[in-house]
């Protein structure tokens, strides 16, 4: 897969004081190389930045985002981008741009889309399947499911269905206004 | 002064609901700059950590009376009543650290370790108020 090729191109630069979980004998900063598009560039820059956060970034002694979580996010989101690129115009309209990334204490990672009062979040913590959630500010909608990203193939169809629903809901709101 | 609770063989506090933290006690959560996206505090600030018991760190307001939340790693802080996480069957406990005697944790634990769910995180976020406000940032 394309995302696998990106990850295989990852190089590790020995820089003291930056952590990378899973390589306990040395300290590294991760730099991911690969073919560049705006989306790819954004993902890599954002994820590399979060993997390079200083220890204690949250004020509660948290380590930076673990490489395995960043890798999983890159794998999943590159897959979604690939779906978008291979889709017709109709589907391209409903799939939003790349999400925001937020570190979570302990090395976990959250990707989140803010879509005019609708929110879609992906929670990567490395020890369990990715948790996907869809909700509104007023909590009238709250849905959740788990995504298994352990294999080469990821079934993101439920996630895509959420984006289609949000697109339809926003259109209905505009028509009603 | 709250009594310390049992620690495991790795010297990590075992999840518990502390009887000395009453429902009307305030819990304070420092907010880091990276928890802010699109002018909003992310729900990620209310999620489990990846520590062995998947706790969410807070400071107990009844102990903490002088900590600064707009310097260093923090750009602000939120506060919520201890009753709020308990409404969602989360535990509120005391877990003092060498560097922070007011440190506590919120756990989702019923004998097995679980992540705080997105719904629980959003409930805590929606029922929080500013303790130290961050200008131009919405809490909910």
């Amino acid at each position: 897969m394309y995302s696998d090729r990106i990850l295989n191109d990852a190089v590790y630069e020995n820089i003291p004081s930056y952590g990378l979980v899973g390589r306990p004998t040395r300290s590294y900063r991760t730099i991911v190389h690969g073919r560049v598009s705006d989306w790819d560039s954004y993902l890599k820059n954002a994820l590399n930045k979060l993997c390079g956060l200083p220890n204690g970034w949250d004020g509660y002694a948290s380590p930076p985002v673990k490489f395995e979580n960043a890798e999983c996010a890159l794998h999943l989101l590159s897959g979604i981008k690939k779906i978008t690129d291979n889709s017709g115009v109709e589907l391209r309209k409903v799939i939003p741009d790349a999400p925001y990334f937020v570190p979570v204490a302990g090395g976990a990672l959250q990707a989140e889309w803010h879509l005019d009062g609708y929110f879609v979040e992906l929670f990567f913590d490395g020890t369990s399947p990715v948790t996907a959630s869809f909700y509104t500010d007023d909590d009238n909608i709250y849905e959740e499911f788990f995504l298994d990203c352990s294999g080469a193939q990821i079934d993101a169809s439920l996630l895509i269905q959420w984006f289609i629903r949000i697109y339809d809901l926003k259109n209905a709101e505009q028509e009603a206004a | 002064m709250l009594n310390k609770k049992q620690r495991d063989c790795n010297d990590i506090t075992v999840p518990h609901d502390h009887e000395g933290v009453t429902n009307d006690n305030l819990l304070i959560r420092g907010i880091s700059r990276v928890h802010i996206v699109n002018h909003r505090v992310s729900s990620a600030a209310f999620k489990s950590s990846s520590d062995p018991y998947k706790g969410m760190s807070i400071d107990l307001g009844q102990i903490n009376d002088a900590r600064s939340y707009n310097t260093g790693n923090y750009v602000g802080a939120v506060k919520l009543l201890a009753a709020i996480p308990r409404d969602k069957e989360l535990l509120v406990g005391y877990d003092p650290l060498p560097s922070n005697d007011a440190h506590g944790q919120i756990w989702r634990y019923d004998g097995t370790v679980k992540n705080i769910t997105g719904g629980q995180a959003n409930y805590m976020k929606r029922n929080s108020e500013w303790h130290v406000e961050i200008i131009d940032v919405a809490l909910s």
Side-chain angles (χ1 to χ4, degrees):
Chain A
M1 284 184 67
Y2 174 51
S3 55
D4 291 337
R5 191 181 65 75
I6 292 174
L7 298 176
N8 288 338
D9 287 344
V11 296
Y12 306 96
E13 199 176 90
N14 183 9
I15 295 184
S17 84
Y18 286 86
L20 176 62
V21 170
R23 297 175 192 275
T25 56
R26 299 174 73 186
S27 291
Y28 291 87
R29 183 174 69 178
T30 308
I31 297 176
V32 184
H33 291 287
R35 193 171 64 197
V36 174
S37 69
D38 287 344
W39 176 284
D40 294 331
S41 175
Y42 168 77
L43 290 184
K44 280 177 259 178
N45 284 339
L47 293 172
N48 279 325
K49 188 175 166 187
L50 296 181
C51 287
L53 285 170
N55 281 317
W57 60 267
D58 68 339
Y60 296 102
S62 175
V65 168
K66 293 178 182 173
F67 179 69
E68 67 202 69
N69 292 325
E71 188 179 51
C72 183
L74 183 62
H75 182 45
L76 172 56
L77 293 165
S78 296
I80 292 171
K81 174 65 171 149
K82 193 172 179 181
I83 290 170
T84 311
D85 288 345
N86 292 335
S87 301
V89 175
E90 285 303 309
L91 191 55
R92 281 190 210 182
K93 277 196 300 191
V94 306
I95 299 178
D97 286 337
Y100 298 103
F101 290 104
V102 191
V104 180
L109 170 69
Q110 182 163 291
E112 52 189 69
W113 286 269
H114 299 186
L115 304 166
D116 298 331
Y118 299 96
F119 299 86
V120 174
E121 296 176 349
L122 302 173
F123 182 69
F124 304 86
D125 85 340
T127 59
S128 49
V130 176
T131 306
S133 52
F134 165 39
Y135 63 93
T136 51
D137 257 342
D138 56 13
D139 223 16
N140 280 334
I141 296 174
Y142 186 84
E143 296 172 19
E144 195 171 81
F145 71 89
F146 299 104
L147 261 169
D148 182 5
C149 292
S150 57
Q153 300 283 332
I154 299 171
D155 182 0
S157 55
L158 286 173
L159 196 58
I160 303 296
Q161 282 174 25
W162 279 348
F163 292 134
I164 293 170
R165 274 175 63 195
I166 291 169
Y167 183 81
D168 289 342
L169 286 164
K170 285 163 62 178
N171 274 348
E173 285 169 8
Q174 283 175 355
E175 284 172 13
Chain B
M1 193 65 184
L2 296 175
N3 60 318
K4 295 177 184 177
K5 295 293 185 180
Q6 181 190 352
R7 290 178 178 258
D8 66 14
C9 59
N10 294 313
D11 200 30
I12 297 171
T13 298
V14 174
H16 61 275
D17 196 55
H18 202 294
E19 70 282 357
V21 181
T22 57
N23 281 343
D24 58 351
N25 283 144
L26 282 175
L27 312 179
I28 301 167
R29 170 75 176 176
I31 301 296
S32 167
R33 185 179 303 280
V34 288
H35 279 142
I36 300 166
V37 288
N38 195 23
H39 299 282
R40 296 171 58 98
V41 175
S42 168
S43 66
F46 298 84
K47 293 274 176 83
S48 297
S49 73
S50 297
D51 69 23
Y53 295 112
K54 296 185 179 293
M56 169 192 151
S57 286
I58 40 94
D59 298 316
L60 298 173
Q62 65 213 89
I63 298 174
N64 175 27
D65 56 4
R67 195 164 194 205
S68 173
Y69 291 99
N70 51 13
T71 58
N73 294 305
Y74 303 122
V75 290
V78 298
K79 61 185 175 186
L80 67 164
L81 292 171
I84 299 300
R86 285 173 174 153
D87 281 349
K88 293 295 180 184
E89 298 175 345
L90 299 171
L91 309 181
V92 181
Y94 182 43
D95 178 29
L97 302 174
S99 58
N100 180 8
D101 193 48
H103 185 251
Q105 297 234 39
I106 295 172
W107 295 279
R108 182 178 173 219
Y109 183 81
D110 58 4
T112 55
V113 177
K114 296 174 181 173
N115 273 322
I116 293 171
T117 67
Q120 289 167 328
N122 283 323
Y123 183 78
M124 289 192 282
K125 181 182 165 187
R126 269 204 317 279
N127 287 284
S128 295
E129 296 175 4
W130 286 117
H131 179 63
V132 176
E133 185 170 1
I134 307 168
I135 302 302
D136 201 26
V137 173
L139 184 51
S140 58

